[in-house]
Amino acid sequence: MTRTQNPSVDGRPAPPRQPDDREAFPSGNATWWRQAAVYQVYPRSFADADGDGLGDLPGVTSRVGYLAELGIDAVWLSPFYPSQLADGGYDVADYRDVDPKLGTLDDFDDMVRALHAHDIRVIVDIVPNHTSDQHAWFRETLDSEPGSPARDRYIFRSGRGEAGAEPPTDWVSTFGGSAWEQVADGQWYLHNFAVEQPDLNWSNPEVRADFVRTLRFWSDRGVDGFRIDVAHMLTKDMTEPLLSRAELDALPLDGQHPLIDRDDVHEVYAEWRAVFNAYDPPRTAVAEAWVDAARVPLYARAESLGQAFNFELLEADFDAEQFRRIVSDNLALAELSGSSSTWVLSNHDVVRHATRYGLPHPPRADSGRPALKHGNEWLLSGGVTPALDRAGGLRRARAATLFLLGLPGSAYLYQGEELGLHEVADIADEHRQDPTFFRSPGIDKGRDGCRVPIPWSSTGTSFGFGEGGAHLPQPAWFASSAVDVEERLPHSTLTLYRRALNLRSELQTDEQLEWMDTGRNEVLRFARPNGWQVVTNFGTEPFELDRADVVLASDDAPLGIVPGETTVWLAPA
Ligand code: GLC
């Protein structure tokens, strides 16, 4: 493999050359991400090599063969950094190390080497909006005076009312409760998420410089890309007087809002982009930005992060009209930004799509997000809702996934969806871990149901996850969805994903699609310029095809027929 010397950025010295055994991918393939199938590993729930009940990095390494056989192009790892796990690792105590519970930096290097040896790229999660309250910087604030440089790395304010006993504003955290927490000397700090996640002050140059260091640290270790957590919330206008919650809610989200999706956040990403582009191939980034669709291209532009999640399919019902509109709109948005579109049906924050599609359509909330995020009403009060149609939900999920995998752009898949796993809805309250459950309190069941450790085998301790049990209880029905069962079955969801992902490189040779008329509103059909076609029947009545050469079907399809709630792929004639 050849390597070019990385140029310097902003007058800083070039990043150190990497030892050969940490070599990333060879130069010349700077666009690998545009149509990649990216598999999200939630490390503490994937595979547990040391038997302590928590998944770890050696566990990921031990399953590289499985990932290679699946046919994915990249793995995105949710945070594995030192953390007290107040928010599943999204509370980071040290951005440039591995949590000892999950392994060491050497284990990380071994994992990257093993993944790269199978042509699987590595994307890591960067959490820049907040640190953990265990981070050295935050601990320093507790021994420092109000107004000190240490406190300026975060967002500290005096309280209101007598002796400042009231929080500075009535702002509410995303996880519920006040967004402010008081420290011993009476000041308050802002936390848009859990109490243990103090928000950083992105006006502070030291904060900016430190993240550049972190991005170089992982890039130098051979990481290929980054997923940027809550990318739309970093910069804030905290000019006094601070507005009330109602006043903030009344403001347009036009880039000038004091707290959300500010235009000036792209100054941060322009600096990061220079860092990414100093590597060969350039490191990639994808924004987790819950913003108005029209503003997503700002994050996806080549001079910003380069790609952004589009969560619209994940928020949609299994419905032809919604799917078609979302696909058309997002391909147009991708054209605007010059990036490729992204497609997501499940991740570690939402109810698994097999379960969503097995429940009566939930009422749509205005923004979509809060209704579907976390527990929502279908899964409240103990979770096991009699309305859940397990088989129907899975059937629709398989059809939706095969539709998604045929679309131009990147597909982001979440561990366990390839087994057709349903949400584990009936976790007892005493086992729950997610802060959204504790801060709601108890009303929102939280996100633990999609984070239960993966069943690798139908028998044995924790279904093969590890020797020491699983940190969240696994249900008995995991046995029939275990990897060792599904890999033997020709019609299993795992077999379907493997076949689709392995065919994908033939299908993804261009980035366009053309809708074809089907004469039926509930049937979508599109053709790629290379001749591949995808047909999805969202309805229940069979659809007659004009061809019989189906290459892959999400469920049994008699010759020339697309049964209800089924997708088929047709190869070039
Ligand atoms: C993102 C993550 C989520 C986390 C939150 C705070 O939305 O996906 O899991 O709780 O950010 O970091």
Side-chain angles (χ1 to χ4, degrees):
M1 283 194 257
T2 54
R3 154 160 296 276
T4 53
Q5 180 66 46
N6 294 317
S8 72
V9 183
D10 304 337
R12 293 157 188 268
R17 287 171 67 97
Q18 300 161 15
D20 282 343
D21 64 355
R22 275 198 214 144
E23 191 87 47
F25 276 76
S27 53
N29 191 357
T31 55
W32 64 266
W33 51 273
R34 291 191 71 92
Q35 307 236 51
V38 183
Y39 180 91
Q40 181 188 359
V41 167
Y42 191 70
R44 64 202 180 97
S45 300
F46 188 64
D48 175 21
D50 67 5
D52 67 351
L54 268 192
D56 44 39
L57 298 186
V60 178
T61 308
S62 74
R63 298 294 181 180
V64 166
Y66 171 81
L67 296 170
E69 204 171 336
L70 191 55
I72 50 160
D73 303 300
V75 155
W76 146 34
L77 293 141
S78 279
F80 48 80
Y81 315 111
S83 170
Q84 64 186 317
L85 302 179
D87 180 22
Y90 284 88
D91 46 322
V92 179
D94 181 350
Y95 290 87
R96 296 185 286 272
D97 205 350
V98 172
D99 192 320
K101 299 187 284 298
L102 269 63
T104 62
L105 280 169
D106 284 344
D107 292 331
F108 180 83
D109 293 341
D110 288 346
M111 179 193 71
V112 171
R113 206 178 291 122
L115 287 163
H116 280 175
H118 285 88
D119 281 353
I120 299 173
R121 267 102 172 166
V122 181
I123 295 172
V124 301
D125 218 311
I126 297 292
V127 189
N129 181 67
H130 41 264
T131 69
S132 159
D133 64 355
Q134 303 299 305
H135 190 285
W137 277 356
F138 191 77
R139 296 166 83 106
E140 197 186 331
T141 66
L142 300 180
D143 301 324
S144 305
E145 302 287 311
S148 59
R151 290 219 175 165
D152 188 59
R153 297 188 192 111
Y154 293 90
I155 301 176
F156 276 87
R157 288 289 180 281
S158 301
R160 290 173 302 170
E162 208 178 312
E166 297 289 314
T169 65
D170 62 350
W171 301 351
V172 170
S173 102
T174 309
F175 292 164
S178 171
W180 297 95
E181 185 73 9
Q182 198 168 25
V183 297
D185 62 26
Q187 271 214 315
W188 298 76
Y189 67 86
L190 179 70
H191 61 90
N192 266 302
F193 293 88
V195 174
E196 298 86 351
Q197 292 169 301
D199 277 43
L200 284 164
N201 171 16
W202 275 87
S203 304
N204 183 315
E206 228 187 312
V207 169
R208 294 197 181 205
D210 197 68
F211 274 87
V212 165
R213 217 178 130 203
T214 294
L215 297 171
R216 288 207 178 101
F217 178 87
W218 294 109
S219 297
D220 290 345
R221 293 195 102 85
V223 156
D224 303 281
F226 300 93
R227 178 258 188 194
I228 311 302
D229 191 64
V230 287
H232 58 302
M233 286 176 63
L234 275 49
T235 53
K236 298 172 180 84
D237 178 1
M238 296 295 290
T239 313
E240 310 265 351
L242 298 174
L243 301 183
S244 69
R245 188 181 170 198
E247 287 166 330
L248 284 177
D249 284 352
L251 291 176
L253 294 169
D254 60 356
Q256 305 303 315
H257 188 281
L259 299 182
I260 299 166
D261 187 24
R262 292 178 56 75
D263 286 338
D264 57 13
V265 78
H266 297 288
E267 292 163 20
V268 174
Y269 299 141
E271 189 184 3
W272 291 12
R273 177 43 60 192
V275 175
F276 300 148
N277 287 354
Y279 290 86
D280 182 16
R283 300 325 191 217
T284 68
V286 56
E288 186 218 19
W290 293 88
V291 299
D292 237 40
R295 292 186 54 85
V296 169
L298 294 172
Y299 295 82
R301 283 172 307 159
E303 52 280 28
S304 185
L305 289 173
Q307 201 181 41
F309 282 126
N310 143 34
F311 292 121
E312 287 192 84
L313 275 189
L314 170 154
E315 294 181 316
D317 301 320
F318 182 76
D319 176 272
E321 202 187 316
Q322 292 179 42
F323 269 53
R324 179 170 172 151
R325 183 203 52 79
I326 289 167
V327 169
S328 298
D329 287 0
N330 282 282
L331 291 178
L333 286 174
E335 235 168 83
L336 273 184
S337 68
S339 184
S340 59
S341 193
T342 59
W343 310 108
V344 190
L345 291 171
S346 280
N347 66 28
H348 67 296
D349 286 334
V350 298
V351 173
R352 286 188 178 278
H353 64 288
T355 302
R356 294 202 309 270
Y357 296 151
L359 289 159
H361 287 185
R364 306 258 110 211
D366 283 348
S367 71
R369 188 179 187 212
L372 116 27
K373 285 271 301 179
H374 319 166
N376 74 49
E377 52 256 63
W378 327 313
L379 297 172
L380 294 182
S381 48
V384 197
T385 139
L388 176 62
D389 169 6
R390 293 183 75 87
L394 179 57
R395 182 180 184 95
R396 294 186 269 277
R398 289 164 58 122
T401 299
L402 206 56
F403 175 87
L404 171 146
L405 289 174
L407 292 171
S410 310
Y412 284 82
L413 310 171
Y414 176 53
Q415 69 179 37
E417 68 167 82
E418 78 279 19
L419 303 174
L421 291 186
H422 271 280
E423 187 83 357
V424 182
D426 52 355
I427 298 173
D429 288 356
E430 68 265 28
H431 293 303
R432 293 213 172 253
Q433 301 175 6
D434 187 7
T436 58
F437 170 70
F438 298 105
R439 288 185 69 84
S440 57
I443 296 167
D444 183 334
K445 287 288 168 190
R447 301 163 295 180
D448 295 316
C450 65
R451 299 173 175 185
V452 174
I454 294 296
W456 293 95
S457 54
S458 56
T459 55
T461 316
S462 63
F463 298 108
F465 167 68
E467 289 303 312
H471 66 92
L472 279 168
Q474 298 161 301
W477 53 261
F478 262 26
S480 56
S481 297
V483 172
D484 70 347
V485 172
E486 292 209 16
E487 66 188 357
R488 290 195 307 265
L489 300 176
H491 298 295
S492 70
T493 305
L494 179 57
T495 304
L496 176 68
Y497 270 69
R498 283 183 177 170
R499 294 187 58 200
L501 287 164
N502 283 288
L503 278 173
R504 217 174 113 88
S505 55
E506 287 175 44
L507 190 145
Q508 301 292 6
T509 56
D510 55 65
E511 290 190 31
Q512 284 82 48
L513 67 68
E514 195 181 321
W515 294 109
M516 298 170 71
D517 188 21
T518 63
R520 294 249 309 262
N521 289 341
E522 72 281 18
V523 181
L524 296 184
R525 181 173 189 168
F526 63 82
R528 305 288 297 266
N530 60 17
W532 282 86
Q533 288 186 23
V534 175
V535 188
T536 301
N537 183 351
F538 288 83
T540 47
E541 292 303 309
F543 174 74
E544 258 181 65
L545 269 180
D546 47 7
R547 296 168 49 171
D549 52 344
V550 165
V551 176
L552 190 59
S554 61
D555 267 289
D556 278 345
L559 215 60
I561 299 284
V562 186
E565 304 183 327
T566 303
T567 296
V568 301
W569 283 7
L570 305 168

